[in-house]
Amino acid sequence: MEKKTYQTEQEQFWAGEFGTEYIDRNKSDAYLASNIHFFAQALKQTFQLSSVIEFGANIGMNLKAIRMLYPKVKLEGIEINEDATRILAEIIGPDSVQNCSIFDIDSTQKYSLTLIKGVLIHINPEMLNLVYQKLYDCSEKYILVAEYYNPTPVSIKYRGHDNRLFKRDFAGEMMQQFKDLQLIDYGFVYKNDPSFPQDDITWFLMQKNDTI
């Protein structure tokens, strides 16, 4: 099999062994329960959610939670790691999964919601505008961004690796890039929440104004 090539070292990092090891750290029942609670809060301002595409879906723990809240919703996922993609396909079906880099998504289809959670922080900062564009283009109405927030861009060592985790105001940058995006809800989930912890995630739900 021909080895895939990537534009950035961050893509190679997640497509390889580190990305595979990530699977085992994030598949517990407790994590699924926290995700169900998370999306019940983050999506409460949405209306008639019929389809969702997740960028960087891993093994589908976010999409699985969304399906439990919206049983009839159509789910699709983009995932760069082949091992994670195989598991994801078992959950949402092989025809609903693309095994590729987010940069290489080629889709004219639009979804009620485009979702990215804990992924933008690992994208090469020089490529963020491209990812923002794809999130925007794939959205018919809503965009949910859930990441580590910082008012100014910073790079932080991630599990002993440099240039693998970046914090910034991702949603704010998207709203600067696309003037018709409106913030309709936002919130924070604390890693030490006694019932439903997440990893210090700040989330932003945005809506395209021309769909109001």
Side-chain angles (χ1 to χ4, degrees):
M1 183 180 295
E2 184 179 352
K3 187 175 181 180
K4 294 183 179 179
T5 58
Y6 298 101
Q7 299 180 56
T8 67
E9 59 185 18
Q10 289 82 10
E11 292 167 279
Q12 186 67 52
F13 184 69
W14 286 99
E17 184 178 347
F18 188 92
T20 299
E21 292 172 351
Y22 178 88
I23 293 171
D24 290 330
R25 297 198 300 270
N26 295 275
K27 63 179 184 180
S28 69
D29 289 343
Y31 183 58
L32 178 60
S34 289
N35 269 348
I36 294 170
H37 181 265
F38 173 85
F39 287 109
Q41 296 298 312
L43 298 178
K44 65 184 178 181
Q45 298 296 335
T46 62
F47 179 67
Q48 293 184 338
L49 204 63
S50 61
S51 58
V52 176
I53 185 169
E54 182 179 11
F55 289 17
N58 196 249
I59 61 171
M61 294 297 283
N62 296 322
L63 295 177
K64 186 185 291 188
I66 290 172
R67 174 177 282 166
M68 296 184 77
L69 293 167
Y70 303 90
K72 296 182 179 180
V73 72
K74 178 184 177 183
L75 301 175
E76 295 202 16
I78 312 297
E79 174 52 42
I80 196 170
N81 184 276
E82 289 186 5
D83 294 311
T85 297
R86 283 192 286 270
I87 300 172
L88 178 63
E90 294 174 1
I91 294 172
I92 65 174
D95 293 338
S96 298
V97 178
Q98 294 183 52
N99 175 215
C100 67
S101 168
I102 290 172
F103 308 148
D104 298 328
I105 298 170
D106 184 18
S107 176
T108 58
Q109 187 171 346
K110 291 188 180 294
Y111 303 81
S112 301
L113 171 75
T114 55
L115 163 68
I116 194 159
K117 180 172 179 273
V119 174
L120 288 173
I121 56 173
H122 300 301
I123 299 288
N124 187 304
E126 295 182 0
M127 304 295 285
L128 282 174
N129 284 347
L130 173 61
V131 181
Y132 296 159
Q133 186 70 57
K134 290 181 179 293
L135 284 165
Y136 180 86
D137 289 344
C138 286
S139 170
E140 182 179 53
K141 189 168 187 178
Y142 300 109
I143 300 171
L144 179 61
V145 170
E147 305 283 348
Y148 295 157
Y149 170 84
N150 204 66
T152 56
V154 293
S155 177
I156 298 171
K157 190 179 290 288
Y158 179 65
R159 294 183 178 269
H161 299 273
D162 292 322
N163 297 318
R164 296 294 183 271
L165 194 155
F166 310 94
K167 296 168 62 174
R168 58 202 297 150
D169 183 3
F170 299 102
E173 291 176 357
M174 281 199 71
M175 287 184 284
Q176 283 292 317
Q177 187 168 336
F178 306 104
K179 300 300 185 182
D180 66 322
L181 281 183
Q182 176 188 10
L183 180 67
I184 58 174
D185 206 358
Y186 65 97
F188 173 75
V189 188
Y190 185 39
K191 65 183 177 184
N192 291 324
D193 185 290
S195 299
F196 301 109
Q198 291 273 340
D199 196 13
D200 287 348
I201 286 178
T202 304
W203 57 268
F204 302 87
L205 180 66
M206 296 168 281
Q207 178 175 319
K208 288 185 171 181
N209 275 342
D210 61 358
T211 62
I212 296 175

